[in-house]
Amino acid sequence: MAYGEWSRVDRKSIGGRTWGENAVAELRPGMGQDTYSSSFEPDDAAVETAEEAKEPAEADITELCRDMFSKMATYLTGELTATSEDYKLLENMNKLTSLKYLEMKDIAVNISRNLKDLNQKYAELQPYLDQINVIEEQVAALEQAAYKLDAYSKKLEAKYKKLEKR
């Protein structure tokens, strides 16, 4: 059987439908396009045969082409709509991302400003901190002098007690 030709079963009735020479013209795409068909009814003892079908009328081909183009247009419209929706989603995501980055920029600017203020305040306090360090060193030196003086006074007291006992 050549490409594009349809086949039919040479039987009187299959599945409640009458088949004959005119039945092939009623076939639609996807229906009855098997090369061979058979029936397994116990009453039917006929031998099955296959023969070539006649080409459908020109009007049927035109209608089928219109149907195919209509369905193809619907499919392509759906694909383009889906792609368009994907781009809209990406656009919205980009807008949200840019807003988030602007918020993060504002936060970074505030942190930078606060850090500059803190550094300025630390610079203003630095002379006082230096004075505290000098005072701390002086206190440590006085403490060492006090320990030495205490040790010397203890030695002196010990000598005085030793001399007094004599």
Side-chain angles (χ1 to χ4, degrees):
M1 188 176 294
Y3 178 78
E5 294 178 339
W6 296 8
S7 67
R8 68 174 177 83
V9 176
D10 194 21
R11 298 204 184 262
K12 289 183 180 181
S13 174
I14 297 177
R17 184 165 176 141
T18 303
W19 291 87
E21 288 294 320
N22 295 330
V24 174
E26 296 176 10
L27 291 178
R28 291 183 295 258
M31 293 183 56
Q33 294 180 6
D34 296 346
T35 304
Y36 297 99
S37 298
S38 64
S39 171
F40 295 105
E41 295 177 11
D43 303 336
D44 240 350
V47 176
E48 75 179 85
T49 61
E51 60 185 67
E52 293 184 18
K54 295 180 182 177
E55 299 250 346
E58 187 69 30
D60 290 340
I61 290 175
T62 305
E63 186 178 325
L64 290 174
C65 286
R66 281 190 185 131
D67 185 45
M68 179 196 67
F69 283 121
S70 170
K71 289 180 181 177
M72 184 61 83
T74 302
Y75 169 75
L76 290 175
T77 302
E79 285 293 316
L80 292 174
T81 302
T83 303
S84 173
E85 291 297 321
D86 287 344
Y87 281 123
K88 286 178 185 175
L89 176 65
L90 283 173
E91 181 182 4
N92 288 338
M93 288 173 58
N94 284 337
K95 286 178 182 176
L96 288 174
T97 302
S98 76
L99 289 175
K100 191 67 172 175
Y101 280 128
L102 285 175
E103 288 176 13
M104 290 171 58
K105 177 189 164 212
D106 290 342
I107 291 171
V109 166
N110 286 336
I111 289 173
S112 175
R113 186 179 315 126
N114 290 338
L115 184 61
K116 284 179 184 177
D117 290 346
L118 218 78
N119 284 336
Q120 183 182 0
K121 288 178 183 178
Y122 181 76
E124 290 173 0
L125 286 176
Q126 189 62 44
Y128 299 111
L129 294 173
D130 290 339
Q131 286 179 0
I132 290 172
N133 286 339
V134 168
I135 292 171
E136 185 181 8
E137 289 172 4
Q138 290 173 352
V139 168
L142 282 173
E143 187 180 13
Q144 290 299 322
Y147 285 137
K148 286 180 184 179
L149 186 60
D150 187 45
Y152 182 72
S153 66
K154 285 182 184 179
K155 283 183 186 178
L156 195 57
E157 184 183 358
K159 278 187 183 183
Y160 176 73
K161 285 186 182 180
K162 194 175 180 186
L163 286 173
E164 195 177 76
K165 284 187 188 176
R166 282 195 190 174

PDB file of all heavy atoms in Angstrom, residues 65-77:
ATOM      1  N   CYS A  65      -6.931  20.321   6.090  1.00  0.00           N
ATOM      2  CA  CYS A  65      -5.826  21.283   6.136  1.00  0.00           C
ATOM      3  C   CYS A  65      -6.192  22.487   6.991  1.00  0.00           C
ATOM      4  O   CYS A  65      -5.384  22.953   7.797  1.00  0.00           O
ATOM      5  CB  CYS A  65      -5.458  21.741   4.720  1.00  0.00           C
ATOM      6  SG  CYS A  65      -4.558  20.494   3.782  1.00  0.00           S
ATOM      7  N   ARG A  66      -7.410  22.974   6.846  1.00  0.00           N
ATOM      8  CA  ARG A  66      -7.855  24.110   7.672  1.00  0.00           C
ATOM      9  C   ARG A  66      -7.839  23.727   9.149  1.00  0.00           C
ATOM     10  O   ARG A  66      -7.393  24.501  10.000  1.00  0.00           O
ATOM     11  CB  ARG A  66      -9.258  24.538   7.257  1.00  0.00           C
ATOM     12  CG  ARG A  66      -9.277  25.364   6.017  1.00  0.00           C
ATOM     13  CD  ARG A  66     -10.644  25.964   5.762  1.00  0.00           C
ATOM     14  NE  ARG A  66     -10.632  26.643   4.494  1.00  0.00           N
ATOM     15  CZ  ARG A  66     -11.539  26.491   3.545  1.00  0.00           C
ATOM     16  NH1 ARG A  66     -12.562  25.680   3.750  1.00  0.00           N
ATOM     17  NH2 ARG A  66     -11.444  27.147   2.416  1.00  0.00           N
ATOM     18  N   ASP A  67      -8.316  22.529   9.422  1.00  0.00           N
ATOM     19  CA  ASP A  67      -8.331  22.047  10.807  1.00  0.00           C
ATOM     20  C   ASP A  67      -6.901  21.950  11.340  1.00  0.00           C
ATOM     21  O   ASP A  67      -6.616  22.365  12.464  1.00  0.00           O
ATOM     22  CB  ASP A  67      -9.044  20.697  10.883  1.00  0.00           C
ATOM     23  CG  ASP A  67      -9.190  20.213  12.303  1.00  0.00           C
ATOM     24  OD1 ASP A  67      -9.574  21.026  13.172  1.00  0.00           O
ATOM     25  OD2 ASP A  67      -8.919  19.019  12.545  1.00  0.00           O
ATOM     26  N   MET A  68      -5.991  21.395  10.508  1.00  0.00           N
ATOM     27  CA  MET A  68      -4.603  21.258  10.933  1.00  0.00           C
ATOM     28  C   MET A  68      -3.989  22.636  11.190  1.00  0.00           C
ATOM     29  O   MET A  68      -3.332  22.845  12.210  1.00  0.00           O
ATOM     30  CB  MET A  68      -3.781  20.535   9.870  1.00  0.00           C
ATOM     31  CG  MET A  68      -2.316  20.392  10.269  1.00  0.00           C
ATOM     32  SD  MET A  68      -1.223  19.987   8.929  1.00  0.00           S
ATOM     33  CE  MET A  68      -1.298  21.446   7.934  1.00  0.00           C
ATOM     34  N   PHE A  69      -4.202  23.596  10.278  1.00  0.00           N
ATOM     35  CA  PHE A  69      -3.640  24.924  10.459  1.00  0.00           C
ATOM     36  C   PHE A  69      -4.247  25.614  11.671  1.00  0.00           C
ATOM     37  O   PHE A  69      -3.552  26.323  12.405  1.00  0.00           O
ATOM     38  CB  PHE A  69      -3.833  25.775   9.204  1.00  0.00           C
ATOM     39  CG  PHE A  69      -2.866  25.435   8.107  1.00  0.00           C
ATOM     40  CD1 PHE A  69      -3.306  25.017   6.869  1.00  0.00           C
ATOM     41  CD2 PHE A  69      -1.494  25.532   8.335  1.00  0.00           C
ATOM     42  CE1 PHE A  69      -2.405  24.697   5.867  1.00  0.00           C
ATOM     43  CE2 PHE A  69      -0.586  25.214   7.329  1.00  0.00           C
ATOM     44  CZ  PHE A  69      -1.048  24.796   6.095  1.00  0.00           C
ATOM     45  N   SER A  70      -5.514  25.411  11.915  1.00  0.00           N
ATOM     46  CA  SER A  70      -6.162  25.990  13.090  1.00  0.00           C
ATOM     47  C   SER A  70      -5.548  25.435  14.371  1.00  0.00           C
ATOM     48  O   SER A  70      -5.236  26.187  15.302  1.00  0.00           O
ATOM     49  CB  SER A  70      -7.661  25.700  13.043  1.00  0.00           C
ATOM     50  OG  SER A  70      -8.271  26.036  14.254  1.00  0.00           O
ATOM     51  N   LYS A  71      -5.365  24.124  14.381  1.00  0.00           N
ATOM     52  CA  LYS A  71      -4.773  23.508  15.578  1.00  0.00           C
ATOM     53  C   LYS A  71      -3.314  23.901  15.730  1.00  0.00           C
ATOM     54  O   LYS A  71      -2.834  24.106  16.850  1.00  0.00           O
ATOM     55  CB  LYS A  71      -4.932  21.995  15.513  1.00  0.00           C
ATOM     56  CG  LYS A  71      -6.376  21.581  15.716  1.00  0.00           C
ATOM     57  CD  LYS A  71      -6.563  20.100  15.652  1.00  0.00           C
ATOM     58  CE  LYS A  71      -8.047  19.759  15.839  1.00  0.00           C
ATOM     59  NZ  LYS A  71      -8.313  18.348  15.725  1.00  0.00           N
ATOM     60  N   MET A  72      -2.597  24.032  14.615  1.00  0.00           N
ATOM     61  CA  MET A  72      -1.203  24.454  14.676  1.00  0.00           C
ATOM     62  C   MET A  72      -1.129  25.887  15.193  1.00  0.00           C
ATOM     63  O   MET A  72      -0.260  26.224  15.994  1.00  0.00           O
ATOM     64  CB  MET A  72      -0.552  24.351  13.297  1.00  0.00           C
ATOM     65  CG  MET A  72       0.924  24.687  13.306  1.00  0.00           C
ATOM     66  SD  MET A  72       1.902  23.592  14.346  1.00  0.00           S
ATOM     67  CE  MET A  72       2.142  22.257  13.220  1.00  0.00           C
ATOM     68  N   ALA A  73      -2.047  26.749  14.735  1.00  0.00           N
ATOM     69  CA  ALA A  73      -2.076  28.131  15.218  1.00  0.00           C
ATOM     70  C   ALA A  73      -2.363  28.170  16.716  1.00  0.00           C
ATOM     71  O   ALA A  73      -1.749  28.945  17.456  1.00  0.00           O
ATOM     72  CB  ALA A  73      -3.128  28.934  14.455  1.00  0.00           C
ATOM     73  N   THR A  74      -3.285  27.334  17.167  1.00  0.00           N
ATOM     74  CA  THR A  74      -3.594  27.267  18.599  1.00  0.00           C
ATOM     75  C   THR A  74      -2.368  26.813  19.390  1.00  0.00           C
ATOM     76  O   THR A  74      -2.036  27.384  20.433  1.00  0.00           O
ATOM     77  CB  THR A  74      -4.768  26.299  18.845  1.00  0.00           C
ATOM     78  OG1 THR A  74      -5.893  26.736  18.092  1.00  0.00           O
ATOM     79  CG2 THR A  74      -5.125  26.238  20.323  1.00  0.00           C
ATOM     80  N   TYR A  75      -1.677  25.807  18.861  1.00  0.00           N
ATOM     81  CA  TYR A  75      -0.466  25.293  19.523  1.00  0.00           C
ATOM     82  C   TYR A  75       0.610  26.380  19.582  1.00  0.00           C
ATOM     83  O   TYR A  75       1.195  26.628  20.635  1.00  0.00           O
ATOM     84  CB  TYR A  75       0.055  24.069  18.775  1.00  0.00           C
ATOM     85  CG  TYR A  75       1.431  23.642  19.215  1.00  0.00           C
ATOM     86  CD1 TYR A  75       1.623  22.983  20.419  1.00  0.00           C
ATOM     87  CD2 TYR A  75       2.553  23.921  18.435  1.00  0.00           C
ATOM     88  CE1 TYR A  75       2.894  22.599  20.828  1.00  0.00           C
ATOM     89  CE2 TYR A  75       3.813  23.553  18.833  1.00  0.00           C
ATOM     90  CZ  TYR A  75       3.977  22.898  20.034  1.00  0.00           C
ATOM     91  OH  TYR A  75       5.229  22.529  20.434  1.00  0.00           O
ATOM     92  N   LEU A  76       0.872  27.037  18.448  1.00  0.00           N
ATOM     93  CA  LEU A  76       1.904  28.074  18.416  1.00  0.00           C
ATOM     94  C   LEU A  76       1.527  29.252  19.297  1.00  0.00           C
ATOM     95  O   LEU A  76       2.388  29.835  19.971  1.00  0.00           O
ATOM     96  CB  LEU A  76       2.149  28.534  16.974  1.00  0.00           C
ATOM     97  CG  LEU A  76       2.837  27.504  16.070  1.00  0.00           C
ATOM     98  CD1 LEU A  76       2.921  28.023  14.656  1.00  0.00           C
ATOM     99  CD2 LEU A  76       4.209  27.140  16.604  1.00  0.00           C
ATOM    100  N   THR A  77       0.243  29.609  19.322  1.00  0.00           N
ATOM    101  CA  THR A  77      -0.213  30.677  20.214  1.00  0.00           C
ATOM    102  C   THR A  77       0.064  30.302  21.669  1.00  0.00           C
ATOM    103  O   THR A  77       0.529  31.120  22.461  1.00  0.00           O
ATOM    104  CB  THR A  77      -1.711  30.950  20.012  1.00  0.00           C
ATOM    105  OG1 THR A  77      -1.934  31.307  18.657  1.00  0.00           O
ATOM    106  CG2 THR A  77      -2.200  32.062  20.922  1.00  0.00           C
TER     107      THR A  77
END
